[in-house]
Amino acid sequence: GIQVEQSPPDLILQEGANSTLRCNFSDSVNNLQWFHQNPWGQLINLFYIPSGTKQNGRLSATTVATERYSLLYISSSQTTDSGVYFCAVDNTNAGKSTFGDGTTLTVKP
Amino acid sequence: DAGITQSPRHKVTETGTPVTLRCHQTENHRYMYWYRQDPGHGLRLIHYSYGVKDTDKGEVSDGYSVSRSKTEDFLLTLESATSSQTSVYFCAISGPGELFFGEGSRLTVL
């Protein structure tokens, strides 16, 4: 099956810093999503981005499907950005997504 | 928020007992999924459904069965729970396309 690698596995930032999270995948995909799992365990949809660039406030994402990677940018980080960020990709037509192991982000005040 | 409700949210049970987790959606989405999440890992697909009475296996289906008798309900059953099935279980729905998750059910098998 498709392989998904996220980097870095852990990231510690001071509040206000910027960061870039990366997701590499081993095959072409139909769908790609970024999720934030907050400290309470909820999975929050950030971006649905099989290709191109999207922005939502301080967060933006870019997927280069031909080169099989996606980037999540977080600017002016806040303590509430802490948690685990997952990339999930789907190369089926049934929405059967494969998840990476996540990037754990800690933002310190 | 997507209308997805999981029950129970927390359960402690003993090895060898049957357990059923329920996922209920109000979005009328065709596809429903059960994932499990273990410490330090992403989510792994257990089973999914592409319509009423239409289900198929995912990556980690051994020891689990599912049923979908109505569009809105997707049940995950552990026929005889084992300690290795201690995990957080997430239900998800999609059109297909974008996945939306429920809040999770934490299962502990002693």
Side-chain angles (χ1 to χ4, degrees):
Chain A
I2 192 168
Q3 304 299 311
V4 182
E5 291 186 5
Q6 291 187 242
S7 60
D10 299 282
L11 188 57
I12 300 174
L13 301 174
Q14 286 298 130
E15 201 167 23
N18 302 328
S19 61
T20 301
L21 283 59
R22 187 176 180 103
C23 173
N24 291 333
F25 42 96
S26 61
D27 203 349
S28 58
V29 297
N30 301 324
N31 300 320
L32 187 146
Q33 285 185 253
W34 284 97
F35 295 90
H36 174 214
Q37 187 168 40
N38 65 23
W40 296 270
Q42 293 176 305
L43 284 159
I44 299 163
N45 290 39
L46 296 178
F47 295 101
Y48 175 67
I49 185 167
S51 63
T53 297
K54 291 185 177 180
Q55 181 156 6
N56 184 3
R58 296 181 296 103
L59 274 62
S60 64
T62 295
T63 296
V64 184
T66 53
E67 296 187 20
R68 300 180 184 169
Y69 73 89
S70 183
L71 302 174
L72 177 68
Y73 305 97
I74 304 173
S75 64
S76 303
S77 59
Q78 301 175 358
T79 56
T80 52
D81 294 331
S82 295
V84 184
Y85 290 80
F86 289 107
C87 168
V89 303
D90 173 26
N91 65 344
T92 71
N93 288 317
K96 294 161 46 180
S97 289
T98 298
F99 280 71
D101 284 343
T103 292
T104 300
L105 175 63
T106 302
V107 181
K108 296 189 171 183
Chain B
D1 288 343
I4 309 168
T5 305
Q6 293 186 225
S7 60
R9 295 288 314 281
H10 301 271
K11 186 171 182 66
V12 179
T13 191
E14 294 189 349
T15 298
T17 60
V19 176
T20 296
L21 306 180
R22 179 180 182 244
C23 179
H24 178 80
Q25 62 147 330
T26 58
E27 305 296 321
N28 202 35
H29 277 358
R30 178 182 173 192
Y31 288 79
M32 298 185 75
Y33 312 83
W34 278 107
Y35 284 85
R36 62 178 286 175
Q37 184 179 28
D38 301 299
H41 294 284
L43 283 72
R44 292 180 293 170
L45 182 64
I46 305 171
H47 280 282
Y48 72 103
S49 169
Y50 48 97
V52 174
K53 294 189 176 21
D54 292 323
T55 65
D56 204 351
K57 296 179 180 180
E59 178 188 355
V60 291
S61 60
D62 287 349
Y64 302 95
S65 62
V66 291
S67 65
R68 191 167 178 200
S69 59
K70 298 185 288 184
T71 298
E72 58 266 34
D73 290 327
F74 192 33
L75 304 181
L76 176 71
T77 298
L78 292 65
E79 300 289 349
S80 177
T82 67
S83 58
S84 64
Q85 293 176 312
T86 292
S87 188
V88 180
Y89 292 86
F90 285 94
C91 173
I93 64 175
S94 78
E98 188 172 1
L99 277 176
F100 296 93
F101 281 90
E103 297 201 341
S105 296
R106 182 175 296 275
L107 175 66
T108 302
V109 183
L110 302 176

